[in-house]
Amino acid sequence: MRNLEQIKRLSTPSYYYDIELLDETLHALHKEADAYGYHVHYAVKANANPVLLKRISRQGLGADCVSGNEIKRALECGFPADSIVYAGVGKSDAEIELALEQDIFCFNCESLPEIQVIDEIAGRMGKKAKIALRINPNVDAHTHHYITTGIEENKFGIYLYDLEHVVQETLQRSHIQLTGLHFHIGSQITDMSVFRGLCIRANEIQANLKEHGLILPHINFGGGLGINYQEPDRQPIADFKAYFATFARFFEPMPHQQVHFELGRSVVAQCGNLIAKVLYVKEGKNRRFVILDAGMNDLLRPALYQAFHQMENLTSNLPEAKYDIVGPICESADCFGKDIALNATQRGDLIAIRSCGAYGETMASRYNLRDLPHCAYSE
Ligand code: LLP
């Protein structure tokens, strides 16, 4: 890891962001997306830290928000309102009003009842709401079941069997302008054939709508590009090239149709690491526990999804030993990894939990009334 001397001075537990790596990632993303004229909205849910958001908005990305507060944060951090897309199965009236007041780029709508409410509120406000229909394309992302969203058993999106009806109903609404189609099938997807499947399904859906005389100005494929959690140093930047090339090759846009994406994890995951201090090393019967000052309240992913994060001892060069690495919370799930090889570890050592920039800080809580983790940035 870069900047070790700075890291050794941090208060712990702390999210530490490598701003240089973020910039390099944004540069690579731009290069690959621009090659095809694609529009990218950064998924704020992955990391809403204002320092990162300002950096990302300055690079010209739009924002993908899932709450009124995310919309407010995105605006505060410099994302233009007309670059904001707003998704979510449960938008409240107040959130819809806020988005309408701000004239965002578009609502990604997930059900007919939601469209009816947006129509009513827009009518009351004398506005016309731009919406895209989020379609559940029934394409399996083959990723952890908690982060698979595009199959029919999920709550997300409009189901294919219902699409024609929803389109007809939407076109009747006088305060709604249907401007696009939206998909998002899951997260941490590294197998490009999954995205090829999505392209093929999108082609079929668009061909069908075209037969009914409907051609929409934009299509949005959501996010989902995965990163290398196993070897963050070997692949610090996600494979944007392969990702966008898959869409360029297999998706057939309608004439003049804009193609949009909403990437979160692949933009910010690798630039963030959680730095924790070893409080105790405890000998169990057949195991040895490293007890950190960071817990599942600081980083929930291992407890919630059994997610793997690389871990390393930044302050020891001793021969390796195996440990169960746990936090201080009163839950057995408060475990970052079992049988993990670390350089021999003692009280006071600093442990880096790698690839935590996405869905780390944003999912932190105050469980056990613990303080939220600190944040620091490379100098
Ligand atoms: N668009 C929509 C509609 C989404 O629901 C998501 C993520 C994204 C875009 C961004 O997807 P990404 O490019 O980051 O894969 N907390 C979980 C991940 C949940 C993802 C939720 N939706 C985790 O820590 O793995």
Side-chain angles (χ1 to χ4, degrees):
M1 276 181 57
R2 302 195 270 220
N3 310 314
L4 203 52
E5 286 315 307
Q6 185 194 357
I7 291 172
K8 285 183 185 164
R9 296 193 301 270
L10 299 178
S11 306
T12 56
S14 181
Y15 277 98
Y16 179 77
Y17 295 107
D18 181 338
I19 298 295
E20 249 173 282
L21 179 56
L22 174 63
D23 284 348
E24 287 161 15
T25 307
L26 289 168
H27 181 77
L29 167 60
H30 251 301
K31 182 167 159 249
E32 302 303 337
D34 289 355
Y36 308 107
Y38 291 161
H39 301 257
V40 180
H41 305 261
Y42 165 66
V44 173
K45 66 172 85 61
N47 193 317
N49 181 311
V51 174
L52 275 63
L53 285 184
K54 285 178 190 160
R55 208 95 193 167
I56 296 168
S57 71
R58 239 182 281 147
Q59 295 289 329
L61 268 69
D64 160 36
C65 300
V66 288
S67 70
N69 286 344
E70 280 194 1
I71 295 176
K72 286 183 195 160
R73 175 72 61 86
L75 291 167
E76 283 159 17
C77 292
F79 290 92
D82 65 4
S83 79
I84 295 178
V85 294
Y86 175 28
V89 289
K91 303 176 181 80
S92 73
D93 293 18
E95 290 175 315
I96 293 168
E97 282 164 20
L98 169 75
L100 285 167
E101 264 161 29
Q102 295 293 335
D103 280 326
I104 62 164
F105 175 71
C106 132
F107 290 85
N108 291 329
C109 292
E110 310 232 8
S111 69
L112 197 51
E114 177 196 331
I115 294 167
Q116 287 161 347
V117 169
I118 295 177
D119 181 51
E120 273 166 39
I121 297 177
R124 218 189 304 135
M125 292 172 68
K127 300 254 184 190
K128 197 149 186 158
K130 286 173 280 188
I131 75 156
L133 298 179
R134 174 170 182 181
I135 298 174
N136 183 323
N138 207 16
V139 172
D140 194 340
H142 299 296
T143 178
H144 191 282
H145 62 283
Y146 276 18
I147 53 176
T148 289
T149 49
I151 52 176
E152 273 175 9
E153 66 192 59
N154 294 129
K155 67 180 174 182
F156 298 102
I158 291 155
Y159 307 103
L160 284 176
Y161 59 80
D162 213 14
L163 182 59
E164 211 175 303
H165 168 64
V166 174
V167 168
Q168 291 314 326
E169 286 287 318
T170 302
L171 293 174
Q172 310 284 319
R173 302 267 152 187
S174 44
H175 307 288
I176 297 275
Q177 186 187 355
L178 180 57
T179 63
L181 296 179
H182 175 239
F183 303 88
H184 173 78
I185 53 171
S187 200
Q188 185 50 22
I189 300 165
T190 49
D191 174 1
M192 294 302 133
S193 71
V194 170
F195 294 117
R196 182 184 64 206
L198 174 60
C199 291
I200 292 166
R201 186 60 51 82
N203 293 341
E204 290 163 8
I205 294 169
Q206 293 225 103
N208 204 285
L209 292 175
K210 193 177 166 200
E211 270 180 30
H212 291 80
L214 193 64
I215 296 180
L216 295 169
H218 87 267
I219 189 160
N220 181 340
F221 286 107
L225 175 62
I227 61 135
N228 191 338
Y229 282 102
Q230 303 294 329
E231 296 177 286
D233 291 325
R234 197 175 64 76
Q235 203 190 351
I237 297 183
D239 197 350
F240 297 117
K241 194 182 181 74
Y243 176 70
F244 291 122
T246 303
F247 288 90
R249 176 150 177 230
F250 295 104
F251 172 60
E252 294 155 10
M254 293 289 150
H256 311 295
Q257 188 170 46
Q258 287 186 358
V259 182
H260 292 241
F261 296 88
E262 304 165 346
L263 293 174
R265 186 191 313 269
S266 52
V267 182
V268 289
Q270 297 290 31
C271 77
N273 295 291
L274 181 60
I275 310 297
K277 193 169 276 169
V278 176
L279 294 176
Y280 305 103
V281 178
K282 174 174 167 177
E283 299 289 337
K285 194 152 181 226
N286 295 311
R287 328 199 61 86
R288 205 180 277 162
F289 296 97
V290 165
I291 303 173
L292 301 179
D293 65 356
M296 63 191 278
N297 73 299
D298 302 298
L299 176 68
L300 185 59
R301 304 192 69 255
L304 188 58
Y305 315 115
Q306 297 79 49
F308 172 82
H309 287 261
Q310 261 321 331
M311 284 174 269
E312 56 192 77
N313 186 328
L314 299 174
T315 41
S316 165
N317 290 319
L318 299 171
E320 284 187 349
K322 294 247 171 123
Y323 303 93
D324 286 4
I325 304 181
V326 302
I329 305 266
C330 308
E331 299 252 5
S332 299
D334 186 24
C335 176
F336 294 114
K338 289 193 159 112
D339 275 325
I340 304 293
L342 288 181
N343 295 107
T345 295
Q346 55 193 13
R347 174 173 165 81
D349 280 350
L350 284 181
I351 306 295
I353 307 181
R354 308 292 310 274
S355 318
C356 290
Y359 307 108
E361 195 188 329
T362 42
M363 292 176 74
S365 79
R366 292 211 50 208
Y367 187 40
N368 285 193
L369 267 194
R370 283 166 52 82
D371 292 326
L372 287 173
H374 301 276
C375 293
Y377 313 91
S378 57
E379 285 164 352

